[in-house]
Amino acid sequence: MPSSASSSPGDTAAAPPREPDLQAHFDRTIARDQRVEPRDWMPEGYRRTLIRQIAQHAHSEIIGMQPEGAWITRAPSLRRKAILFAKVQDEAGHGLYLYSAAETLGADRDDLTDRLIEGRQKYSSIFNYPTPTFADVGVIGWFVDGAAICNQVPLCRSSYGPYARAMVRVCKEESFHQRQGYELLRTMMTGTQAQRDMVQDAVDRWWWPSLMMFGPPDDDSPNSAQSMAWRIKRHSNDELRQKFVDMTVPQAEKLGVTLPDPELKWNEERGHHDFGTPDFSELMRVIKGDGPCNAERMARRRTAHEEGAWVREAAAAHAAKQARREEKERAA
Amino acid sequence: MSETRGQAHDHPKGQWPLYEIFVRSKRGLNHVHVGSLRAADDRMALTHARDLYTRRNEGVSLWAVRSEHIVASTPDEKDPFFEPSGDKVYRHPTFYDIPADVPHI
Amino acid sequence: MAADMSDAREAADDHVYLSLADGDEGDARWAFGTGFADPLHGVPTALPEGVDAAALAAVCVALGDDALIGAQRLAEWCTRAPELEEEMALANIGLDLLGQARLLYSRAGQADGTGRGEDAYAYFRDAADFRNVRLAELPRGDFACCVGRLLTLSAWRLALFERLAGCADPVLAAVAAKGVKELTYHRQYAAEWVVRLGDGTEESHRRMQAAWTELAPWLDELYADRTAEGFGAPAEEVAEATRAVLAQVAEAAGLSTPAQVTAVPGAGRDGDRTEHLAPLLDELQGLARAHPEAAW
């Protein structure tokens, strides 16, 4: 159970089991839909894929604090201020649960943070879009957290135990996030015309980037098949995107906003909504660093980490001094 | 991994050591492992655990243990560790045939 | 979304949070500010006889302003904290203070007879009408400033609240009693950090000492505040308790308190402001004032 435990097969004194046996045992665990736990043997590819996915998820939570966090000091009522403050705090918490899960695989949080701020690991491209109005706070809750729920609820059954367990709590909290977003928009729609315009404008800006959150179409998603086989992932990108659209359309109607897609309509035969194709070349551009806010987001994270270094070092130094003092006291 | 983590003061960048956190969600229940966090010292580990793992009143008590101090069985030892109790059915309550009309057992 | 959560529930069968997810309290607790015990539940809101309404309103506004401005400065730390765990802690403290401000403003509106709600006090008063102590409005500074100021303000506020918890107004007493628990934690958190930074490295000691020295001229304003005197919190007593805490922490942290301090003249409680409050309020109030007819 210790997160730092290594599960490399060579760390037992007795003759280690042969790799084919271990692989067979792992395969059986997956086939029976049982959980893989930190000290179990696992194929290197499984471990690497998980670390990458969990780290990117954690980075997304942490970078995702920025677009909304910018509105905490400007929220237009004390109630909204408290809700938003708590929500952004939850995102820091989600990041921490996820880094914790990654550490059970032998990853090191400092190293993951370095990878993020050096641009070697990615985060969700959605957080590279700006939040010019307060309606963006509502739409992020409704669309982005809604999309996150579609993505994440199946992850509560992910084959890797610590990841699945972290997701249980993340999902529960995300559902509050989505509701507060929708409730904010509903309230704004009952307000002034300027507010209703603000909501529609935010919906127009966030709809397509939200659809892109599910990743490229299945045909262009080479890693998905392996992740599905390992039950790290449980639904394809396109399945999840469809689920999100079906879920959101009636909510948009109730709210009284128009989703900016002329091709959007109910398909009786499929039992699903048809919808247009997002501009995936935009997704690729933003992922590669060319989104409206990539540089700003990375700079903020890097600055916080660098400016915090003296504080982290001081705490470590104090702990070391304290330990030495206590040792001396015991010896005396 | 534990050898590479070491004491906080051995780490060149001052990285804080990892702590495992256990929460007792209410009286009468065991502490259950909920995850880990980083802290420079024991006090900080408890403070952080409160803020991270019990901010919605999830717990009445917290344990924080340095990850490197946990001793664990390895999965390879599963058989010698856990199989011998597999035949000691008398340890399991279903071994005893209790008439259905005996209450509260 | 309820149907989707069944997956989560299945996965939760070995999880400590299971009892939460499946509890009969519904989902309310997952939304901040609901699902918890109402701190004023069963507390009569009628103004008791013998309580000076104007004085009550004044103390509620003053303490509410301290909390709101303090929370606003803490919110500025969001995404800038030195470690992610500190993000969590600073947000928790900010949320506690915000909660105190809201309750206190509501009580002020009942006491001063205007019936104004919390947002009227927070968003529609100008800098000259605020009554917070000026220490709360100073710019954010570095983490040493943050914890030094937090220690000072929470030690002082705790000394006040411990006494207010027994005051004649039942609402203020209930708010103070709830606040005592929160402030005890804030003070502890800040004190531990002041000691760590004071003792840690040369750099951190230098920064902590600088922050400590900068605080000193603003302390007399706190010690001289008599706003809560009529409610069982004599200024001298509160000052004495605060000084004792600060001295104890300074000693543990190896910080020296300057022997000769010239206090900054004036007092935030009398409406004296630094140049830092107006820009803080511009940010806090800007959106709300731009749409006075709006619904949020």
Side-chain angles (χ1 to χ4, degrees):
Chain A
M1 177 140 48
S3 305
S4 57
S6 161
S7 59
S8 73
D11 70 352
T12 48
R18 292 175 317 117
E19 177 137 346
D21 294 344
L22 292 166
Q23 178 75 51
H25 183 262
F26 173 85
D27 292 342
R28 271 199 307 278
T29 305
I30 299 288
R32 287 183 192 148
D33 220 353
Q34 287 176 333
R35 297 287 148 71
V36 177
E37 293 294 344
R39 287 167 63 98
D40 291 343
W41 183 90
M42 58 190 88
E44 223 13 68
Y46 177 84
R47 179 191 301 277
R48 264 201 320 271
T49 303
L50 266 173
I51 290 178
R52 198 187 61 227
Q53 180 177 331
I54 298 173
Q56 290 182 358
H57 192 164
H59 299 332
S60 302
E61 297 282 357
I62 299 305
I63 298 289
M65 296 168 69
Q66 292 183 30
E68 290 170 283
W71 282 100
I72 298 174
T73 56
R74 298 179 285 164
S77 75
L78 293 183
R79 177 169 174 271
R80 290 290 168 202
K81 201 181 190 68
I83 290 171
L84 187 58
F85 209 168
K87 190 205 160 185
V88 174
Q89 182 198 38
D90 274 348
E91 281 155 11
H94 296 175
L96 282 168
Y97 308 151
L98 289 160
Y99 283 126
S100 162
E103 296 208 76
T104 67
L105 290 156
D108 176 288
R109 188 164 113 201
D110 249 21
D111 176 52
L112 298 178
T113 303
D114 288 344
R115 283 169 195 262
L116 169 66
I117 60 186
E118 288 161 14
R120 289 184 287 137
Q121 261 175 356
K122 304 292 183 196
Y123 54 89
S124 177
S125 57
I126 194 81
F127 300 118
N128 289 318
Y129 291 87
T131 45
T133 77
F134 198 67
D136 291 334
V137 169
V139 174
I140 288 179
W142 179 30
F143 284 173
V144 177
D145 296 320
I149 292 171
C150 287
N151 265 327
Q152 292 171 358
V153 165
L155 294 177
C156 297
R157 291 165 58 227
S158 161
S159 61
Y160 186 59
Y163 190 26
R165 290 191 286 273
M167 292 317 299
V168 171
R169 185 164 184 189
V170 171
C171 285
K172 200 69 194 169
E173 293 177 348
E174 292 283 358
S175 76
F176 137 56
H177 295 177
Q178 192 200 19
R179 278 183 231 181
Q180 66 82 30
Y182 193 74
E183 187 229 34
L184 167 61
L185 298 177
R186 264 188 25 194
T187 311
M188 288 181 72
M189 292 301 283
T190 66
T192 62
Q193 188 56 43
Q195 285 187 294
R196 281 189 287 277
D197 295 345
M198 221 187 266
V199 173
Q200 182 62 55
D201 164 65
V203 165
D204 291 346
R205 283 183 289 109
W206 289 93
W207 175 249
W208 292 109
S210 299
L211 289 187
M212 294 178 206
M213 278 180 75
F214 297 94
D218 294 347
D219 300 342
D220 296 332
S221 186
N223 298 326
S224 283
Q226 179 62 73
S227 286
M228 302 250 303
W230 277 331
R231 302 200 184 177
I232 293 173
K233 243 183 110 150
R234 309 197 66 119
H235 299 284
S236 79
N237 295 351
D238 288 334
E239 279 168 22
L240 291 167
R241 197 170 1 250
Q242 179 72 61
K243 191 175 159 71
F244 173 73
V245 171
D246 290 342
M247 178 179 100
T248 307
V249 168
Q251 295 169 351
E253 279 164 16
K254 268 252 166 357
L255 192 60
V257 295
T258 310
L259 298 174
D261 179 359
E263 294 174 50
L264 187 67
K265 63 167 186 297
W266 176 250
N267 183 325
E268 189 65 52
E269 203 174 311
R270 289 202 309 126
H272 291 291
H273 292 88
D274 292 337
F275 56 99
T277 308
D279 176 6
F280 286 110
S281 64
E282 175 181 325
L283 175 66
M284 289 306 144
R285 269 201 317 278
V286 178
I287 288 178
K288 291 211 164 71
D290 196 21
C293 301
N294 294 55
E296 182 188 334
R297 302 285 186 248
M298 292 287 279
R300 167 70 67 84
R301 183 72 193 105
R302 194 180 307 118
T303 306
H305 191 68
E306 287 169 3
E307 287 184 352
W310 71 271
V311 177
R312 298 191 299 274
E313 279 159 22
H318 167 70
K321 281 186 185 175
Q322 196 64 19
R324 277 197 295 275
R325 282 192 286 258
E326 279 164 19
E327 211 160 289
K328 226 181 235 168
E329 252 169 56
R330 268 198 302 276
Chain B
M1 291 308 292
S2 52
E3 2 356 357
T4 61
R5 286 233 159 75
Q7 299 283 316
H9 51 276
D10 297 336
H11 199 287
K13 285 151 74 189
Q15 183 173 13
W16 298 343
L18 198 64
Y19 281 79
E20 301 297 325
I21 305 303
F22 301 79
V23 175
R24 185 200 294 286
S25 57
K26 55 180 150 182
R27 289 180 183 283
L29 297 181
N30 286 320
H31 284 79
V32 176
H33 183 242
V34 289
S36 64
L37 50 76
R38 290 194 172 269
D41 55 57
D42 295 353
R43 268 301 310 172
M44 195 197 278
L46 281 176
T47 316
H48 285 163
R50 167 198 184 271
D51 288 327
L52 179 60
Y53 288 108
T54 66
R55 66 188 185 285
R56 286 185 168 87
N57 300 340
E58 292 90 339
V60 295
S61 161
L62 283 167
W63 287 348
V65 188
R66 283 277 282 267
S67 303
E68 65 196 18
H69 291 166
I70 289 186
V71 183
S73 65
T74 69
D76 307 325
E77 291 169 319
K78 183 176 183 296
D79 289 356
F81 253 76
F82 301 115
E83 292 261 314
S85 50
D87 61 349
K88 297 180 179 64
V89 289
Y90 45 82
R91 286 194 178 137
H92 294 265
T94 47
F95 177 70
Y96 303 97
D97 199 2
I98 305 277
D101 55 354
V102 179
H104 304 308
I105 290 193
Chain C
M1 290 319 305
D4 285 322
M5 290 310 297
S6 59
D7 274 353
R9 226 167 264 138
E10 256 171 59
D13 50 7
D14 52 354
H15 203 277
V16 68
Y17 296 117
L18 173 70
S19 55
L20 266 183
D22 278 349
D24 34 350
E25 294 154 79
D27 282 333
R29 69 178 307 137
W30 294 95
F32 180 80
T34 60
F36 294 92
D38 173 6
L40 299 183
H41 178 75
V43 177
T45 55
L47 221 52
E49 235 170 274
V51 169
D52 177 344
L56 177 62
V59 74
C60 287
V61 167
L63 294 172
D65 287 349
D66 288 345
L68 175 66
I69 303 302
Q72 182 79 355
R73 287 295 184 212
L74 285 171
E76 292 175 9
W77 277 96
C78 181
T79 71
R80 294 185 176 92
E83 185 52 286
L84 297 176
E85 280 88 350
E86 259 43 68
E87 291 279 352
M88 304 297 296
L90 296 175
N92 265 355
I93 295 170
L95 282 165
D96 285 344
L97 291 175
L98 204 49
Q100 292 178 11
R102 296 176 66 185
L103 295 170
L104 288 163
Y105 286 150
S106 299
R107 188 53 172 165
Q110 293 162 350
D112 68 12
T114 60
R116 281 180 287 177
E118 56 185 45
D119 288 340
Y121 290 91
Y123 290 92
F124 296 96
R125 284 183 305 147
D126 294 332
D129 301 323
F130 271 73
R131 289 293 176 269
N132 57 287
V133 293
R134 288 170 296 174
L135 181 57
E137 73 197 39
L138 298 182
R140 177 167 66 93
D142 66 4
F143 193 66
C145 290
C146 170
V147 293
R149 199 180 301 165
L150 184 61
L151 172 67
T152 307
L153 288 172
S154 56
W156 175 61
R157 193 171 176 87
L158 177 58
L160 270 171
F161 274 36
E162 278 170 345
R163 288 159 181 84
L164 290 173
C167 79
D169 179 55
V171 176
L172 180 57
V175 173
K178 177 175 188 282
V180 162
K181 291 179 210 153
E182 297 168 344
L183 292 161
T184 303
Y185 173 74
H186 303 175
R187 190 182 67 172
Q188 177 82 14
Y189 171 84
E192 284 169 6
W193 265 114
V194 169
V195 171
R196 282 186 197 110
L197 297 182
D199 181 57
T201 61
E202 244 173 74
E203 162 87 345
S204 71
H205 180 81
R206 183 184 63 73
R207 286 175 180 257
M208 195 62 244
Q209 182 62 60
W212 201 250
T213 306
E214 273 174 39
L215 277 171
W218 303 98
L219 296 180
D220 277 1
E221 181 182 332
L222 272 52
Y223 299 150
D225 172 32
R226 299 191 177 276
T227 319
E229 288 226 303
F231 297 86
E236 284 75 20
E237 236 183 88
V238 171
E240 200 46 50
T242 312
R243 277 199 195 93
V245 171
L246 297 185
Q248 192 195 348
V249 177
E251 199 198 332
L255 299 173
S256 53
T257 304
Q260 291 286 321
V261 181
T262 313
V264 187
R269 292 285 194 253
D270 300 332
D272 297 318
R273 306 269 52 111
T274 69
E275 75 271 28
H276 307 295
L277 184 65
L280 178 149
L281 291 179
D282 284 346
E283 183 171 341
L284 191 151
Q285 300 173 332
L287 177 61
R289 289 187 174 204
H291 300 269
E293 307 296 314
W296 303 102

